[in-house]
Amino acid sequence: MNSSNPAAPEDPNPAAATAPEVTVDMETLKAELAAAQTQAAGNLDKFMRAKAETENVRRRAETDVASAHKFAIERFALEMLAVKDSLERARTVDLKTSDAALEKMFEGIDLTLKLMDSIFQKFALTQVSPAIGEKFDPEKHQAMSAQDSAEVPPNHVLMVLQKGYLLNNRLLRPALVIVARAPADAPGPGA
């Protein structure tokens, strides 16, 4: 028997030999726990305040948007009141008195239309009124019917029934038009 390797006494607890010895101070742990709890409570408070502030900002924004929608046309409405006043003044003209009264009324109507045109210009409301013979544009025109025409090429405006309008270059109302079509061919001989 070879005794080159003498037997070492066995350690009954191998983990205790490799782990460093830890001295636990209960008071230190309690202080660290209390500090962590205080920090957690502070962070929770900050989070709740930030959440409440975000909710308040969201509510304010919703209120502002609702108010903006409600009063979006306020400036336009104020401008249109002048037009209404002008038309009401035209209604007070006594047409039975003379031709001069009738002339005054038409003059007032012309001024009212000019006033409306300037208001429309202020608010980027532009007229869509295609000329006779202009190519039909389905983006801005609505065809009410088609009529045979020898004077106007097919798919071109033959007549404007109602003007259309754009608001900031977006179609508000299409122009109502009658579109030309090629005249029906006359029946050939022998038909």
Side-chain angles (χ1 to χ4, degrees):
M1 298 206 207
N2 192 348
S3 6
S4 65
N5 195 356
E10 285 196 22
D11 193 353
N13 188 358
T18 58
E21 217 167 293
V22 176
T23 307
V24 177
D25 183 11
M26 242 358 195
E27 292 304 315
T28 305
L29 286 178
K30 284 182 182 179
E32 287 176 2
L33 177 61
Q37 286 175 333
T38 302
Q39 185 178 7
N43 288 342
L44 179 62
D45 183 55
K46 287 178 186 174
F47 169 75
M48 295 304 285
R49 287 176 190 270
K51 184 177 176 184
E53 181 62 28
T54 302
E55 188 64 24
N56 289 340
V57 167
R58 186 189 61 76
R59 278 195 208 115
R60 263 186 253 121
E62 282 178 356
T63 303
D64 290 347
V65 167
S67 181
H69 284 285
K70 187 175 180 181
F71 298 107
I73 65 165
E74 184 175 13
R75 284 181 43 229
F76 184 74
L78 283 171
E79 294 284 340
M80 290 304 294
L81 290 177
V83 174
K84 183 168 180 11
D85 292 341
S86 182
L87 289 172
E88 286 175 347
R89 269 189 239 110
R91 296 274 310 197
T92 63
V93 173
D94 185 11
L95 297 178
K96 297 175 189 169
T97 57
S98 69
D99 288 336
L102 191 57
E103 276 184 44
K104 273 184 138 179
M105 188 181 80
F106 281 123
E107 185 180 316
I109 290 172
D110 288 340
L111 290 172
T112 302
L113 286 171
K114 286 180 184 177
L115 179 61
M116 282 188 75
D117 287 342
S118 72
I119 292 169
F120 285 0
Q121 190 175 18
K122 275 185 192 176
F123 291 94
L125 188 61
T126 54
Q127 184 174 288
V128 176
S129 183
I132 304 302
E134 185 177 320
K135 183 149 177 61
F136 175 74
D137 180 358
E139 297 290 323
K140 295 180 182 174
H141 309 149
Q142 181 176 344
M144 299 307 292
S145 69
Q147 289 183 2
D148 295 344
S149 174
E151 296 84 32
V152 177
N155 295 325
H156 286 69
V157 175
L158 183 62
M159 183 187 313
V160 178
L161 301 174
Q162 185 180 58
K163 296 173 184 173
Y165 289 90
L166 300 171
L167 179 60
N168 290 314
N169 293 323
R170 187 171 118 198
L171 187 65
L172 184 63
R173 181 178 84 185
L176 303 181
V177 298
I178 295 177
V179 179
R181 70 175 170 222
D185 291 325

